[in-house]
Amino acid sequence: MRTSYKIVIVGSGAAGLMAAIQASQTEGCALITDGPLGHSNSVMAQGGLQLPQATAESEERFYEDILRSARGEADPRLVQNFVRQVAPTVAALERWGLTLDRDERGQIIRRLAGGLSEPRIVSVRDQIGPAIMKVLLHKVRSCDLELLEHRRVVSIEQVRGGSFRLRLRTPEDVEEELEAKAVVVCTGGISYREALKRRTHTTNPPNGNHVLFDHLEAMGLPMVHRDYFQYQPFGIVRTAVNGVGKAVPESIVNFPVRLLDRYGREIGEVRQDRYALTQLMFTLAREGRTAEDSEGNRGFWLTLADIDPADVARTFPKLHQYLVRERLLGQNVLVFPFLHYYLGGFKISPDCASSIPGLFLAGEITGGLHGRNRLMGNGITDSLVHGRIAGESACAYVK
Ligand SMILES: Cc1cc2nc3c(=O)[nH]c(=O)nc-3n(C[C@H](O)[C@H](O)[C@H](O)COP(=O)(O)OP(=O)(O)OC[C@H]3O[C@@H](n4cnc5c(N)ncnc54)[C@H](O)[C@@H]3O)c2cc1C
């Protein structure tokens, strides 16, 4: 390990790997991550990513869908740039070996999801996270940059001449220091820590993403929507251990499932967007309409008994495997919203610059793109697109 780099990227989820691949065009880059390379929430994404058709009308609909879903609270400049950059970002992934699902005519298969005005969800055998991460890991290992694993960045401060000093800690509690001209922070969301605070269940595994987040917040880096978090509606209540549990993937809404209350009454349309559906579930819970299972867990019944397993196996093979593995097929399962995604975060401009020159951010640690509600698939898409932009911006900055 050297003590001075031109660009340092922190984090190795979709945003960090994408940023590192772009930044490695500049000599003297390093990627630092607190676990093994690629260990991240990104690898857990299942549902898919959003890819509009290559027409101005389709991009316009994508833009409108995001603003509507955000309840008017997204940053229109960020959204506009994001929408334009999705296609070139996905094209780069395809060049590096990502094979999106296609129909017999060779056309990319696009599916609908809650809040979408046209089919836009694309996938790789409904396991988008692992497929993308495999491609990114392969690519980053072929790039000219240093990969520093098992080191957590605990602080970043600006020093003489505008460079940055980073303090790192190893699992053995050894402290290290290095300097960089530009830093790209891609350390993910803070839903795990927030779930502990709220004493609620989450889909996010334990992580230390909050460490650098807290440091940057204490530095006074401007934020947007500080307290906006998103819930996934189909958390399987009986799976929660120490607050962390599994959720039925939202691709389940492609099948004729319903949500029932304690009286067996349907509570509403399951295909509405996440914010509307989870707000409805919280309201009905307050009104005492949750059902209870034999272990005393409370939630609403998701009618998996209504769906044809052969249909799921044919169209969503990974979802089918998951339902079989979790022994969910053929029965109704008790679900309740689990904390899932951090909507808020640090403020960035469309080129991923923060308020400090030379400090760039990308992915779930940033806010402003999703406003009040993120569309399904726009989590990993956000990280990929902005990771790529942040890497390019850092290169331009150090030139
Ligand atoms: C169960 C689950 C399912 C999901 N499904 C979908 C889906 O279907 N579609 C979708 O669009 N989105 C989905 N998401 C959300 C999506 O996966 C994430 O929003 C996105 O991938 C975040 O990418 P990221 O690179 O910003 O952060 P992460 O992937 O969280 O990566 C953060 C990285 O930073 C590292 N790190 C953190 N702090 C430090 C530090 N101080 N020093 C060094 N390294 C550090 C971490 O170890 C990690 O490598 C899902 C999330 C979960 C949890």
Side-chain angles (χ1 to χ4, degrees):
M1 184 179 113
R2 300 175 3 193
T3 53
S4 169
Y5 295 89
K6 276 215 176 125
I7 303 172
V8 162
I9 294 97
V10 190
S12 64
L17 293 177
M18 202 67 179
I21 292 164
Q22 291 305 316
S24 68
Q25 292 162 19
T26 296
E27 227 178 280
C29 291
L31 181 149
I32 304 173
T33 194
D34 60 0
L37 190 70
H39 183 85
S40 62
N41 280 359
S42 295
V43 81
M44 303 180 78
Q46 292 174 323
L49 60 81
Q50 297 239 12
L51 177 64
Q53 304 273 358
T55 65
E57 295 74 30
S58 184
E59 285 191 356
E60 185 62 28
R61 278 196 287 273
F62 190 17
Y63 174 82
E64 295 296 339
D65 285 353
I66 296 174
L67 290 192
R68 190 175 50 253
S69 153
R71 310 302 195 262
E73 295 194 53
D75 175 344
R77 283 188 325 143
L78 271 189
V79 180
Q80 199 170 41
N81 193 50
F82 169 73
V83 163
R84 281 202 209 111
Q85 293 301 322
V86 172
T89 303
V90 175
L93 286 167
E94 288 190 289
R95 279 198 305 279
W96 301 336
L98 188 75
T99 313
L100 294 171
D101 292 340
R102 289 172 187 267
D103 62 19
E104 49 293 339
R105 288 173 298 130
Q107 303 292 320
I108 292 174
I109 299 171
R110 289 178 167 82
R111 294 197 165 96
L112 268 175
L116 271 61
S117 59
E118 65 176 355
R120 202 181 296 123
I121 299 288
V122 302
S123 193
V124 180
R125 293 182 63 76
D126 68 273
Q127 280 278 285
I128 196 73
I132 285 176
M133 290 299 283
K134 189 174 166 198
V135 166
L136 291 178
L137 285 168
H138 183 72
K139 180 72 183 168
V140 83
R141 286 196 171 104
S142 71
C143 289
D144 182 17
L145 81 164
E146 255 185 80
L147 300 172
L148 305 172
E149 298 172 272
H150 303 290
R151 289 171 168 91
R152 177 168 290 163
V153 177
V154 292
S155 70
I156 300 175
E157 62 180 304
Q158 215 162 14
V159 289
R160 55 181 165 65
S163 286
F164 296 91
R165 180 183 300 132
L166 283 75
R167 290 209 164 80
L168 282 50
R169 196 166 293 143
T170 69
E172 299 77 32
D173 236 10
V174 176
E175 291 225 354
E176 297 169 337
E177 247 183 49
L178 55 84
E179 282 195 17
K181 278 202 164 143
V183 181
V184 184
V185 178
C186 307
T187 48
I190 52 164
S191 292
Y192 173 71
R193 199 264 304 268
E194 184 68 14
L196 292 180
K197 279 190 186 168
R198 294 187 187 189
R199 293 168 186 264
T200 189
H201 295 331
T202 179
T203 58
N204 285 214
N207 59 52
N209 292 4
H210 60 279
V211 174
L212 197 53
F213 178 93
D214 289 348
H215 168 76
L216 296 174
E217 188 177 24
M219 271 168 62
L221 210 61
M223 304 191 74
V224 276
H225 306 147
R226 170 65 181 82
D227 298 318
Y228 283 14
F229 287 81
Q230 184 175 52
Y231 287 82
Q232 207 272 24
F234 307 132
I236 309 168
V237 287
R238 68 172 157 76
T239 63
V241 177
N242 296 329
V244 180
K246 297 176 182 172
V248 178
E250 282 161 290
S251 46
I252 199 69
V253 302
N254 287 284
F255 302 92
V257 289
R258 295 164 297 146
L259 279 172
L260 307 179
D261 68 5
R262 59 188 297 195
Y263 309 109
R265 287 196 306 237
E266 194 168 344
I267 69 165
E269 172 54 59
V270 290
R271 275 156 285 268
Q272 57 190 312
D273 75 28
R274 277 179 182 164
Y275 184 67
L277 182 57
T278 54
Q279 289 302 306
L280 173 69
M281 293 167 85
F282 288 131
T283 302
L284 297 182
R286 280 194 296 274
E287 291 170 5
R289 283 179 55 185
T290 49
E292 190 175 333
D293 68 9
S294 55
E295 291 155 33
N297 299 308
R298 303 202 72 88
F300 297 95
W301 294 109
L302 181 66
T303 62
L304 297 184
D306 283 350
I307 60 180
D308 173 8
D311 194 16
V312 186
R314 191 173 42 78
T315 47
F316 285 81
K318 291 287 177 190
L319 174 63
H320 181 258
Q321 277 173 20
Y322 176 82
L323 297 176
V324 170
R325 198 172 57 241
E326 299 296 325
R327 297 196 181 86
L328 297 173
L329 275 175
Q331 56 171 302
N332 294 342
V333 57
L334 203 64
V335 297
F336 200 71
F338 281 8
L339 204 68
H340 186 57
Y341 184 84
Y342 186 38
L343 294 163
F346 295 102
K347 200 171 161 57
I348 51 166
S349 48
D351 63 355
C352 293
S354 71
S355 60
I356 301 177
L359 181 62
F360 301 88
L361 297 108
E364 200 176 329
I365 191 174
T366 67
L369 181 69
H370 311 292
R372 204 53 200 91
N373 182 57
R374 164 172 82 79
L375 290 170
M376 176 184 152
N378 259 357
I380 194 136
T381 317
D382 172 5
S383 294
L384 291 165
V385 167
H386 286 114
R388 182 160 167 264
I389 296 172
E392 281 168 4
S393 297
C395 285
Y397 180 81
V398 299
K399 248 193 191 145

